[in-house]
Amino acid sequence: MGICPIATTPLLTDKFTGVLRHWARSEVPTCTSWGAPIIWDSTFDPHVAKQEVRRRNLTIGLTVFAVGRYLEKYLERFLKSAEQHFMVGQRVVFYVFTDRPEAVPYMTLGQGRLLRVEPVQRESRWQDVSMARMRVLYEALGGKLGQEADYVFCLDVDQRFTGNFGPEVLADLVAQLHSWHYHWPRWLLPYERDKRSAAALSWGEGDFYYHAALFGGSVAALRKLTAHCALGQQLDRERGIEAVWHDESHLNKFFWLYKPTKLLSPEFCWDPKIGWRTDIHHPRLIWEPKEYALVRN
Ligand code: UDP
Ligand code: MN
């Protein structure tokens, strides 16, 4: 992560974060080389975002997939925590994609918040469930979800909200810094390196390593993102290959080609197994323990 050329100016602004308070977190990078804010705890004013959402009367979508055993294991806790912390006081539509709609737990939701359950088919390999999300999301964004939401966040189910996750995260195209890799030198980042793959990045390419467990943006930007990733996955499948980190590899390729307009610090998707870090002040969403033997086929 290089030193941002404009990080010293206090005037980087964003409609949802206001004037970014670089000075509040001088120990971490707060903007990218292309001028996108990287938001950390204390660098934004949450009231600016709330006013902007109200002024524009926005609806925010949250999508999550719970297919196979991931449903029993994670979904209820994920949704309860989302109801408590995600976009509190805003108009929200939760979209749960599952192969067993009847097993989705009943939830009491606050005013202006609703939950829709969308059936999806179950793929036999967990990697295929993970990758199929791009195509399913592409279609959903072109349908009802795209009509009723202005901004959408797409999340893994194996995590839980632990702190306020409000409209300060909104932007046209939002990427999440991966909590295990944000300190790593670029050459060590686990991008796909096989040149035959549509997700390939060569040495010297790549800005950051982004986590596929959380991405978001406007409906139009996400249509482009999901179309790009679904197509890349399809091309790889036709060549009999699969990118090293599946949909995440294609997502990282997309964000290299089309730069995100806002980055979220690892506080917005933190793995508590990493332990205490001085730059992580307030984790807002944390990974659940990975119990792959229980949930994967
Ligand atoms: N998923 C699912 N059922 C599966 C495999 C994956 O519902 O059998 C969904 C679920 O939302 C999960 C996401 O796809 O969180 C990504 O898979 P996983 O979390 O296992 O990948 P990892 O975070 O370990 O890369
Ligand atoms: Mn996950």
Side-chain angles (χ1 to χ4, degrees):
M1 286 189 238
I3 305 270
C4 174
I6 54 172
T8 46
T9 120
L11 292 174
L12 179 64
T13 61
D14 173 276
K15 278 184 298 217
F16 292 105
T17 40
V19 176
L20 202 71
R21 300 165 177 167
H22 301 285
W23 59 89
R25 296 295 300 270
S26 53
E27 86 286 17
V28 290
T30 49
C31 90
T32 66
S33 60
W34 59 94
I38 309 175
I39 63 168
W40 297 77
D41 190 53
S42 321
T43 60
F44 53 84
D45 177 353
H47 302 293
V48 172
K50 284 193 185 122
Q51 275 166 13
E52 180 68 9
V53 169
R54 216 156 292 143
R55 190 180 70 74
R56 289 169 57 191
N57 199 20
L58 298 174
T59 297
I60 300 145
L62 187 164
T63 70
V64 69
F65 284 65
V67 175
R69 291 196 291 274
Y70 283 67
L71 193 154
E72 284 84 6
K73 179 86 186 125
Y74 300 116
L75 184 63
E76 186 162 9
R77 198 160 36 201
F78 175 90
L79 289 174
K80 277 193 173 147
S81 71
E83 182 55 14
Q84 209 181 338
H85 298 293
F86 181 77
M87 306 290 164
V88 175
Q90 309 297 349
R91 283 223 310 266
V92 170
V93 45
F94 295 108
Y95 268 70
V96 175
F97 295 89
T98 180
D99 55 334
R100 278 181 303 135
E102 71 289 350
V104 172
Y106 177 78
M107 295 274 304
T108 339
L109 300 173
Q111 205 194 346
R113 300 165 78 90
L114 60 97
L115 187 148
R116 296 195 190 283
V117 180
E118 299 289 326
V120 288
Q121 124 195 13
R122 181 168 185 180
E123 310 285 338
S124 50
R125 297 162 63 241
W126 68 265
Q127 297 91 331
D128 289 327
V129 176
S130 187
M131 289 193 287
R133 292 184 294 174
M134 290 296 183
R135 188 183 37 75
V136 172
L137 288 171
Y138 173 74
E139 282 159 17
L141 289 159
K144 194 161 53 179
L145 169 61
Q147 283 155 17
E148 62 189 355
D150 300 289
Y151 291 89
V152 177
F153 275 76
C154 307
L155 270 71
D156 272 15
V157 74
D158 56 344
Q159 34 194 1
R160 129 173 83 100
F161 291 92
T162 51
N164 185 44
F165 203 105
E168 55 275 1
V169 299
L170 299 179
D172 193 44
L173 189 57
V174 185
Q176 172 65 52
L177 291 178
H178 196 293
S179 60
W180 280 90
H181 301 300
Y182 72 108
H183 277 308
W184 288 22
R186 189 166 61 170
W187 64 273
L188 268 178
L189 297 177
Y191 299 129
E192 174 56 58
R193 300 296 186 184
D194 181 344
K195 290 198 168 51
R196 294 173 303 157
S197 170
L201 287 184
S202 26
W203 302 100
E205 291 184 331
D207 301 298
F208 300 91
Y209 192 78
Y210 304 111
H211 194 183
L214 192 170
F215 57 88
S218 67
V219 169
L222 291 181
R223 278 277 279 179
K224 190 165 147 184
L225 180 158
T226 51
H228 176 99
C229 294
L231 177 65
Q233 291 170 175
Q234 176 65 26
L235 292 171
D236 280 11
R237 204 171 305 121
E238 284 163 15
R239 290 177 199 143
I241 52 178
E242 188 169 279
V244 57
W245 289 111
H246 319 107
D247 42 307
E248 187 165 87
S249 304
H250 293 274
L251 183 76
N252 272 278
K253 174 75 174 220
F254 179 83
F255 283 141
W256 165 247
L257 297 174
Y258 306 96
K259 306 296 186 204
T261 58
K262 181 176 283 181
L263 270 62
L264 306 183
S265 83
E267 295 160 314
F268 290 84
C269 190
W270 182 245
D271 184 359
K273 269 171 77 181
I274 295 172
W276 186 78
R277 281 280 179 84
T278 51
D279 50 10
I280 303 302
H281 291 186
H282 182 191
R284 290 146 194 277
L285 174 73
I286 59 168
W287 303 16
E288 293 284 7
K290 301 238 172 232
E291 294 177 82
Y292 290 143
L294 289 178
V295 292
R296 285 185 177 168
N297 37 284

